[in-house]
Amino acid sequence: MTMHVVIIGGGFAGLYAARRLARQPVTITIIDRQNHHLFQPLLYQVATAGLSPADIATPIRARVEDFPNVSVRMGAVKRVDLKAKLVELEDGTLSYDQVVIATGVRHSYFGHQEWADDAPGLKTLDDALEIRRRVLTAFEAAERDDDLARSADLTFVIVGGGPTGVELAGAIAELARYTVAGEFRSFDPHRTRVVLVEGGPRLLAAFHESLSKAALTALERLGVEVKLDTKVTNVSDTGVHMGDVFLPARTVLWAAGVQGSSLGRSLGVELDRAGRVKVNPDLTIPGFPDAYVVGDLAWCAGPDGQPLPGLAPVAIQQGEHAADNIAAVIERKDRRAFKYWDKGIMATVGRANGVAQTGKLRLSGFIGWMTWLFIHILYLIGFRNRVIVMIQWVWAWVTYGRSARLITGIPLSPAKRALAPAQVTAPARAPAPEVGK
Ligand SMILES: Cc1cc2nc3c(=O)[nH]c(=O)nc-3n(C[C@H](O)[C@H](O)[C@H](O)COP(=O)(O)OP(=O)(O)OC[C@H]3O[C@@H](n4cnc5c(N)ncnc54)[C@H](O)[C@@H]3O)c2cc1C
């Protein structure tokens, strides 16, 4: 009988695993709670109205339509029973011969899940559209509010100075300074404050120090206020506390931490503190040779003994490696240990500015950005997406335009619904009680 492989998650790790394995004599079921594969590295562009959702996401079905042995099931997996080799979905159960678990990570609020409503993170298209709605609505509120409320309307706080925080801060500053600069009548968008708060001593901690400095300089040139060595101690719908200091802000965005997806906890196996599943060198779960965990959800040691970072190339290579090891099982060969080919890291810092490092090579400024641009276009899945994104970026480069400046969707929570565009009121100024100091 043909081997049945279930792949949970159609992100980088899951999709690349499926495509690699599809030419083997197996049947494959990909399960994902979304119907699309998402290119997360460009999510911040959707959140800041530079690109539209369809530019960076494609239906998972379309990506595997050429493989008749691969089927896609949309649904959320609740639990994997590793002993019984069963995958439990919200609407049924599937059995497997081999399973690849690739459900990634979610934001972590370091024990303050109650901040989630007031400080959304960026992980899914829904997150990006919610952030876009909040950012654009803040400018609309500033147009009609009085001066006192306006200063909170025009203050954007981004918590976390890693690549996502840096990219969001740069893009929002660019939006305010250039894109909407001449469009409002009651205020000058140059008054916008973009405040990037980082708990550590420098931005982009994973990069070489010289690139952290280059990013800091580029952000400050764009008018972003960067607060280093500063911990956010409370978030509310009126702003953020940083110790004794309260900063009124209508829009707070979270880019400070991640934790393994909840499916990892359902396995009953060893996890690290961030909820990632500790895997064997061949990417299987200890004690369960038919179950692999790959991508962001996996805790897999690199050559220095430290866990490999949560990056797309790690997820892609691990997905493909798990597929190769499953093929090895079919061919009765030995499974091989995973070795990561480090291709480097990169981030954008506002308009036509970026940082990139690979090995000893460090690039910043325009060249850093060109490198970033080339790699991101190259890895964007789908020819249509590559062409459209190129056109949008050339257009934005020439005009400073952000073509997706549309306020859509309803606020996520009842509290936020009260702040929908038609009913925006000035946020109260009273500081919220401080917690978690
Ligand atoms: C904003 C942002 C920017 C980034 N920028 C970069 C960058 O510039 N360069 C870089 O290399 N990396 C970047 N990354 C990291 C990179 O995107 C991740 O490392 C990569 O997506 C991990 O792939 P994955 O397949 O493990 O998980 P994901 O791509 O997150 O895929 C997980 C999939 O599992 C599905 N899923 C989750 N739970 C369930 C469930 N219970 N049931 C069914 N399906 C489920 C999800 O819907 C999703 O499709 C960025 C990430 C973010 C969020």
Side-chain angles (χ1 to χ4, degrees):
M1 214 172 69
T2 322
M3 177 186 279
H4 182 212
V5 181
V6 172
I7 297 177
I8 310 172
F12 283 109
L15 190 62
Y16 279 78
R19 290 174 63 94
R20 180 80 152 226
L21 198 56
R23 297 194 193 283
Q24 296 291 331
V26 293
T27 58
I28 300 173
T29 307
I30 304 176
I31 307 173
D32 201 300
R33 60 180 170 208
Q34 312 280 3
N35 80 331
H36 51 264
H37 168 79
L38 174 63
F39 193 80
Q40 291 173 14
L42 290 181
L43 261 182
Y44 84 97
Q45 284 277 351
V46 174
T48 55
L51 293 173
S52 294
D55 300 339
I56 64 161
T58 45
I60 296 171
R61 287 183 191 286
R63 304 296 10 131
V64 292
E65 69 169 327
D66 293 341
F67 306 108
N69 56 335
V70 183
S71 57
V72 179
R73 177 161 171 171
M74 187 176 160
V77 174
K78 285 193 307 184
R79 206 172 85 84
V80 179
D81 185 335
L82 294 170
K83 286 193 183 120
K85 296 175 75 164
L86 290 175
V87 173
E88 288 177 25
L89 289 106
E90 277 169 353
D91 57 355
T93 304
L94 275 183
S95 64
Y96 64 81
D97 297 304
Q98 305 265 324
V99 68
V100 179
I101 303 170
T103 48
V105 290
R106 279 295 295 172
H107 332 293
S108 161
Y109 290 86
F110 307 123
H112 288 286
Q113 194 53 37
E114 72 278 9
W115 295 350
D117 256 6
D118 295 315
L122 184 59
K123 187 69 189 162
T124 64
L125 275 181
D126 286 333
D127 294 336
L129 292 175
E130 173 63 11
I131 290 174
R132 183 179 82 178
R133 190 189 64 72
R134 289 188 192 203
V135 169
L136 298 178
T137 303
F139 287 108
E140 296 302 325
E143 180 78 330
R144 63 177 164 257
D145 277 346
D146 63 28
D147 222 43
L148 182 64
R150 190 173 291 134
S151 75
D153 292 336
L154 292 177
T155 301
F156 298 84
V157 178
I158 296 118
V159 187
T164 301
V166 165
E167 289 177 342
L168 278 172
I172 294 173
E174 188 190 323
L175 180 78
R177 253 175 114 100
Y178 301 108
T179 312
V180 302
E183 295 183 358
F184 291 92
R185 303 295 169 250
S186 326
F187 69 97
D188 177 358
H190 284 95
R191 275 183 56 187
T192 303
R193 282 181 78 185
V194 181
V195 183
L196 178 60
V197 186
E198 163 58 37
R202 63 183 177 102
L203 298 175
L204 302 176
F207 290 67
H208 187 266
E209 219 165 327
S210 60
L211 296 183
S212 297
K213 279 193 192 129
L216 178 66
T217 309
L219 283 180
E220 287 179 340
R221 215 176 290 136
L222 272 172
V224 175
E225 295 169 44
V226 179
K227 293 184 186 296
L228 298 174
D229 287 316
T230 306
K231 296 228 170 2
V232 165
T233 49
N234 191 28
V235 180
S236 71
D237 63 355
T238 57
V240 294
H241 271 88
M242 294 164 282
D244 296 334
V245 178
F246 176 69
L247 178 61
R250 181 193 173 96
T251 313
V252 182
L253 307 176
W254 191 260
V258 293
Q259 60 186 354
S261 89
S262 56
L263 195 59
R265 286 195 299 279
S266 85
L267 301 173
V269 297
E270 190 185 354
L271 308 177
D272 78 338
R273 278 176 52 196
R276 290 174 299 179
V277 179
K278 295 210 171 172
V279 292
N280 291 321
D282 64 3
L283 304 178
T284 57
I285 301 176
F288 298 96
D290 299 325
Y292 298 78
V293 178
V294 288
D296 282 4
L297 182 60
W299 190 105
C300 176
D304 56 0
Q306 295 301 309
L308 291 172
L311 290 173
V314 177
I316 290 170
Q317 291 175 34
Q318 288 188 338
E320 292 184 339
H321 191 84
D324 289 346
N325 275 347
I326 292 172
V329 171
I330 295 168
E331 292 160 11
R332 298 180 192 282
K333 292 184 183 154
D334 289 340
R335 282 187 268 222
R336 292 194 356 262
F338 174 69
K339 279 203 191 78
Y340 175 50
W341 177 28
D342 187 353
K343 295 181 177 170
I345 45 178
M346 53 192 72
T348 48
V349 199
R351 184 182 157 78
N353 202 318
V355 290
Q357 78 181 43
T358 171
K360 287 197 178 357
L361 183 68
R362 290 168 208 135
L363 304 169
S364 60
F366 187 69
I367 294 181
W369 181 70
M370 286 299 283
T371 311
W372 176 91
L373 190 129
F374 176 74
I375 296 287
H376 283 72
I377 293 284
L378 193 72
Y379 275 90
L380 200 55
I381 284 187
F383 179 72
R384 175 199 167 274
N385 287 354
R386 284 188 203 127
V387 173
I388 299 258
V389 168
M390 273 307 280
I391 292 170
Q392 301 265 29
W393 277 342
V394 171
W395 182 249
W397 166 253
V398 176
T399 65
Y400 286 95
R402 291 192 159 253
S403 58
R405 282 192 293 127
L406 310 173
I407 297 177
T408 57
I410 53 160
L412 291 181
S413 68
K416 291 292 162 202
R417 208 164 291 139
L419 295 174
Q423 311 152 30
V424 174
T425 52
R429 288 288 158 278
E434 203 166 301
V435 296
K437 200 172 170 184

